[in-house]
Amino acid sequence: MPARRTVPTRRRRAAGALTALLAAPALIGLSGSAAAPPAPTTTPSATAAAAALPAVQARPADSLVDSFGVAIHTPYLDTPYADTARVTQALTDLGVRHVRDNLNLSVPQSFAAMRQIASAGIRFDLIMGRPGSWQTPQKLVEAIAAELPTGVVESLEGANEYNLDEHAVDWVLELRTHQQQLWEAANANPVTADLPVLAPALGMRTGFDQIADLGQYADYGNAHLYPGGRPPSWGIDELTQLEAIVVPGKPVMYTESGYHNATNTTSGHRPTPEPVVGSYAPRLLLEHYLRGTARVYNYELLDERADPGLTDHEAAFGLLRHDFSPKPAYLALKNLLGLVADPGPAFSPGRLAYTVDGATSDLRQVLVQKRSGEFVLLLWRDQSLYNPSTGEQRTVPPRAMTVRLDERARVAVHVPSAGSAPVASGAGTSVPLSMAGEVVALRIRPPAEPGSPARLKGKAKDRAAVLRWKRPATDGGSPVTAYVIRGLPGPRKVVVVPADRLRFTVLRLKNGKRYTFKVRAVNAVGRSLPAKVKVTPRPPRR
């Protein structure tokens, strides 16, 4: 299946950057989904236990977004892909920055579509023809140089699944020759000379021993893997090892991976119901990220045609339906990417000291950090939610786990497959979770100043004012320890009252004079913005 994917930088520089990314030591465990978890709490033993908690190195949060792409088909003018404006909007709304496509000189309209999509900040990986075609690598490279501005294309890819072509006479020789021609043509043109070149992807997980080493003509390996109803982790380790035969010692991209929803198909490619893919799609991205896959492209953005009977598996791979309505997988990926998106200059992420009490052997974990200092801890369990042999969905019994932090923090708990809003939030050092089969994301932020005192009121008295207020809506993740009141008369301009007092009487005021009082909440981090009230004392009525 044609699909495409892009690499962010030029070939040699990109290869080095992604190799460094793969070496980052921030891959932790394994975890899953949740019934609405309770809010974070502080356990009595948290302080004593903190010293023993391991400090885990985070990876840059935006590197997770950068490791994801989607396949599209701009040359397919008889499909919804012909509506470039809606395709561009769907990609932008999803939060994806990389797409994979097929460069086809027989459909010159696709060049305008590529330019329009690229104007939204989305970059292309292009499949560069097939052996025996009049569209030679030389002609395709020349077309890129003539039709596409610098920055539209970020990588070039060898022939797609040519080992399955029934018209090939000697597919190994033909494919090796084509890949060499692509490498030489790309290097000879200054427009494409620095673009990374991907090896050709082989179909049906076969042919690796026959094609052997293509490393001299490729910067990245290139693999296709469809779990076919099985859990997202299925087959990744084995296929990556096989791809190492083709590109020894080089990083690998998966330019096609995903699930189809044609649940009534008689094809050997087994389906997966939409709700299950909604849970699996975030896990598929995270399983690849956990293992160091340079990028994985979900196949594909759109169902290519209507199929009300759900019998045509080739029409049902989309994250969006034929009418552009979102499937659960699209929404779940949009929510996940939105949680970790953090574009900006390079930075060095820090460490977070934590542990997961009650962690099961199937728990997986990824820790990332944003430039703001916020950590995002992603947890999921490597569990099957569907039996592709029987077509039965499976309910995973939840397991109680607790994320324990060494320092008090503000925590918001998200389940991307359930929505964009947090399912729980609070502050503390202990976060209880109920983990089942979906991804759970913890946004962990250090304590901040508290919110302002709520509902501040002032009651006028004879030469006095009575101030009353409520506790702040948020303590910023650190308990309020006091309230500071300003605006008092005479030399004593400020008074501090303890946190358990929500009332203060100001004496020795002048009747008829208008006073402005400001009350701030205080915690270990600092002071809140002031709540203000104006009071004019008056003598008692007679």
Tab-separated table of all heavy atoms in Angstrom, residues 40 43 75 78 105 114 124 137 150-151 167 170 179 185 196 216 218 222 295 329 406 427 451 492 507 513 529 536:
chain	number	residue	atom	x	y	z
A	40	PRO	N	-4.773	12.896	43.051
A	40	PRO	CA	-3.525	12.683	43.785
A	40	PRO	C	-3.679	13.022	45.261
A	40	PRO	O	-4.427	13.911	45.643
A	40	PRO	CB	-2.551	13.646	43.106
A	40	PRO	CG	-3.142	13.905	41.757
A	40	PRO	CD	-4.623	13.815	41.941
A	43	THR	N	0.737	10.855	50.915
A	43	THR	CA	0.765	9.778	51.880
A	43	THR	C	1.647	10.161	53.060
A	43	THR	O	2.639	10.866	52.910
A	43	THR	CB	1.321	8.504	51.237
A	43	THR	OG1	2.616	8.790	50.726
A	43	THR	CG2	0.436	8.050	50.086
A	75	PRO	N	-2.164	11.792	-5.128
A	75	PRO	CA	-2.499	11.458	-6.518
A	75	PRO	C	-3.851	10.772	-6.685
A	75	PRO	O	-4.307	10.594	-7.822
A	75	PRO	CB	-1.360	10.514	-6.937
A	75	PRO	CG	-0.251	10.753	-5.969
A	75	PRO	CD	-0.953	11.069	-4.687
A	78	ASP	N	-9.770	10.331	-7.317
A	78	ASP	CA	-11.125	9.795	-7.236
A	78	ASP	C	-11.492	9.384	-5.819
A	78	ASP	O	-12.432	8.612	-5.598
A	78	ASP	CB	-11.284	8.606	-8.181
A	78	ASP	CG	-10.302	7.478	-7.878
A	78	ASP	OD1	-9.321	7.728	-7.128
A	78	ASP	OD2	-10.497	6.358	-8.387
A	105	LEU	N	4.298	11.266	-11.490
A	105	LEU	CA	4.351	12.309	-12.505
A	105	LEU	C	3.139	12.280	-13.423
A	105	LEU	O	2.899	13.250	-14.156
A	105	LEU	CB	5.631	12.151	-13.334
A	105	LEU	CG	6.947	12.219	-12.555
A	105	LEU	CD1	8.133	12.122	-13.501
A	105	LEU	CD2	7.017	13.484	-11.734
A	114	MET	N	0.629	19.102	-2.646
A	114	MET	CA	1.763	19.001	-1.729
A	114	MET	C	2.188	20.374	-1.231
A	114	MET	O	2.480	20.557	-0.043
A	114	MET	CB	2.932	18.297	-2.411
A	114	MET	CG	2.725	16.831	-2.677
A	114	MET	SD	4.186	16.094	-3.457
A	114	MET	CE	3.492	14.561	-4.077
A	124	PHE	N	6.980	16.112	3.739
A	124	PHE	CA	6.693	14.896	2.979
A	124	PHE	C	7.876	13.939	2.912
A	124	PHE	O	9.017	14.337	2.689
A	124	PHE	CB	6.319	15.266	1.541
A	124	PHE	CG	4.901	15.748	1.382
A	124	PHE	CD1	4.557	17.049	1.722
A	124	PHE	CD2	3.916	14.914	0.896
A	124	PHE	CE1	3.267	17.509	1.569
A	124	PHE	CE2	2.612	15.354	0.736
A	124	PHE	CZ	2.279	16.663	1.081
A	137	PRO	N	14.125	7.279	-11.108
A	137	PRO	CA	14.582	8.138	-10.012
A	137	PRO	C	15.135	9.479	-10.500
A	137	PRO	O	14.905	10.507	-9.862
A	137	PRO	CB	15.663	7.288	-9.336
A	137	PRO	CG	15.233	5.885	-9.586
A	137	PRO	CD	14.656	5.897	-10.979
A	150	THR	N	12.031	24.246	-1.449
A	150	THR	CA	12.839	23.641	-0.386
A	150	THR	C	12.038	23.567	0.900
A	150	THR	O	11.380	24.519	1.303
A	150	THR	CB	14.110	24.476	-0.151
A	150	THR	OG1	14.851	24.532	-1.357
A	150	THR	CG2	14.957	23.861	0.955
A	151	GLY	N	12.085	22.421	1.540
A	151	GLY	CA	11.370	22.225	2.788
A	151	GLY	C	10.090	21.445	2.659
A	151	GLY	O	9.558	20.940	3.653
A	167	HIS	N	4.985	-9.045	-11.669
A	167	HIS	CA	5.597	-8.832	-12.986
A	167	HIS	C	7.121	-8.764	-12.922
A	167	HIS	O	7.777	-8.689	-13.970
A	167	HIS	CB	5.055	-7.539	-13.613
A	167	HIS	CG	3.571	-7.537	-13.793
A	167	HIS	ND1	2.916	-8.397	-14.647
A	167	HIS	CD2	2.598	-6.785	-13.203
A	167	HIS	CE1	1.609	-8.175	-14.595
A	167	HIS	NE2	1.402	-7.200	-13.722
A	170	ASP	N	13.381	-10.565	-11.867
A	170	ASP	CA	14.361	-10.820	-10.807
A	170	ASP	C	14.245	-9.658	-9.833
A	170	ASP	O	14.962	-8.658	-9.935
A	170	ASP	CB	15.764	-10.919	-11.401
A	170	ASP	CG	16.831	-11.262	-10.357
A	170	ASP	OD1	16.540	-11.121	-9.146
A	170	ASP	OD2	17.950	-11.643	-10.753
A	179	GLN	N	17.357	1.105	-6.217
A	179	GLN	CA	17.768	1.822	-5.016
A	179	GLN	C	19.093	2.539	-5.235
A	179	GLN	O	19.284	3.683	-4.795
A	179	GLN	CB	17.873	0.860	-3.825
A	179	GLN	CG	18.208	1.524	-2.510
A	179	GLN	CD	17.092	2.402	-1.965
A	179	GLN	OE1	15.940	2.263	-2.381
A	179	GLN	NE2	17.401	3.289	-1.039
A	185	ALA	N	20.997	9.534	-7.999
A	185	ALA	CA	20.261	10.676	-8.532
A	185	ALA	C	20.036	11.731	-7.451
A	185	ALA	O	20.174	12.940	-7.706
A	185	ALA	CB	18.932	10.218	-9.117
A	196	PRO	N	17.594	12.700	3.493
A	196	PRO	CA	17.791	11.294	3.843
A	196	PRO	C	17.080	10.371	2.852
A	196	PRO	O	16.005	10.688	2.350
A	196	PRO	CB	17.163	11.188	5.234
A	196	PRO	CG	17.112	12.585	5.744
A	196	PRO	CD	16.933	13.461	4.553
A	216	GLN	N	24.748	0.879	1.924
A	216	GLN	CA	25.518	1.902	1.204
A	216	GLN	C	24.627	2.813	0.378
A	216	GLN	O	25.069	3.872	-0.099
A	216	GLN	CB	26.554	1.233	0.308
A	216	GLN	CG	25.968	0.326	-0.769
A	216	GLN	CD	27.036	-0.341	-1.601
A	216	GLN	OE1	28.048	0.281	-1.946
A	216	GLN	NE2	26.846	-1.617	-1.908
A	218	ALA	N	21.336	3.719	1.537
A	218	ALA	CA	20.208	4.137	2.376
A	218	ALA	C	20.719	4.693	3.696
A	218	ALA	O	21.721	4.215	4.243
A	218	ALA	CB	19.258	2.966	2.628
A	222	ASN	N	13.510	0.653	6.479
A	222	ASN	CA	12.126	0.962	6.135
A	222	ASN	C	11.313	-0.320	6.226
A	222	ASN	O	11.590	-1.285	5.499
A	222	ASN	CB	12.069	1.550	4.713
A	222	ASN	CG	10.680	1.988	4.303
A	222	ASN	OD1	9.735	1.894	5.074
A	222	ASN	ND2	10.569	2.458	3.073
A	295	ARG	N	10.643	6.827	13.274
A	295	ARG	CA	9.299	7.384	13.066
A	295	ARG	C	8.383	6.260	12.607
A	295	ARG	O	8.816	5.350	11.890
A	295	ARG	CB	9.306	8.514	12.040
A	295	ARG	CG	7.955	9.219	11.865
A	295	ARG	CD	8.063	10.464	11.004
A	295	ARG	NE	8.916	11.453	11.653
A	295	ARG	CZ	9.827	12.186	11.010
A	295	ARG	NH1	10.017	12.020	9.718
A	295	ARG	NH2	10.552	13.059	11.678
A	329	ALA	N	-9.797	6.391	16.827
A	329	ALA	CA	-8.328	6.430	16.775
A	329	ALA	C	-7.825	7.831	16.469
A	329	ALA	O	-6.800	8.265	17.022
A	329	ALA	CB	-7.821	5.444	15.721
A	406	ASP	N	8.701	11.791	44.604
A	406	ASP	CA	9.528	12.127	45.762
A	406	ASP	C	9.231	13.535	46.273
A	406	ASP	O	9.601	13.878	47.387
A	406	ASP	CB	11.020	11.990	45.427
A	406	ASP	CG	11.534	13.119	44.549
A	406	ASP	OD1	10.722	13.645	43.758
A	406	ASP	OD2	12.715	13.479	44.650
A	427	ALA	N	-3.124	17.632	43.795
A	427	ALA	CA	-1.729	17.842	44.167
A	427	ALA	C	-1.362	16.863	45.271
A	427	ALA	O	-2.195	16.492	46.093
A	427	ALA	CB	-1.505	19.276	44.640
A	451	GLY	N	-3.918	30.181	44.236
A	451	GLY	CA	-4.870	31.123	43.686
A	451	GLY	C	-5.222	32.195	44.704
A	451	GLY	O	-4.908	32.088	45.901
A	492	ARG	N	1.290	50.213	60.990
A	492	ARG	CA	1.111	48.773	60.739
A	492	ARG	C	0.315	48.588	59.438
A	492	ARG	O	-0.895	48.421	59.445
A	492	ARG	CB	0.378	48.132	61.903
A	492	ARG	CG	0.373	46.613	61.857
A	492	ARG	CD	-0.475	46.059	62.977
A	492	ARG	NE	-0.447	44.610	63.003
A	492	ARG	CZ	-1.290	43.851	63.687
A	492	ARG	NH1	-2.226	44.452	64.435
A	492	ARG	NH2	-1.211	42.552	63.668
A	507	LEU	N	-9.196	47.534	62.892
A	507	LEU	CA	-9.652	48.561	63.836
A	507	LEU	C	-8.961	49.898	63.573
A	507	LEU	O	-8.065	49.994	62.739
A	507	LEU	CB	-9.375	48.094	65.266
A	507	LEU	CG	-10.010	46.755	65.684
A	507	LEU	CD1	-9.555	46.353	67.071
A	507	LEU	CD2	-11.531	46.835	65.601
A	513	LYS	N	-14.171	57.473	55.523
A	513	LYS	CA	-13.014	57.351	54.638
A	513	LYS	C	-13.046	55.989	53.933
A	513	LYS	O	-13.305	54.964	54.582
A	513	LYS	CB	-11.711	57.499	55.429
A	513	LYS	CG	-10.467	57.382	54.548
A	513	LYS	CD	-9.195	57.580	55.361
A	513	LYS	CE	-7.960	57.435	54.503
A	513	LYS	NZ	-6.713	57.621	55.259
A	529	LEU	N	-1.929	36.371	43.633
A	529	LEU	CA	-2.403	37.697	43.267
A	529	LEU	C	-3.400	38.154	44.325
A	529	LEU	O	-4.075	37.321	44.959
A	529	LEU	CB	-3.067	37.666	41.887
A	529	LEU	CG	-2.137	37.361	40.700
A	529	LEU	CD1	-2.951	37.209	39.420
A	529	LEU	CD2	-1.080	38.437	40.552
A	536	THR	N	-15.986	51.461	53.452
A	536	THR	CA	-16.083	52.806	54.050
A	536	THR	C	-16.749	52.682	55.421
A	536	THR	O	-17.967	52.456	55.514
A	536	THR	CB	-16.907	53.754	53.165
A	536	THR	OG1	-16.323	53.793	51.854
A	536	THR	CG2	-16.927	55.152	53.749
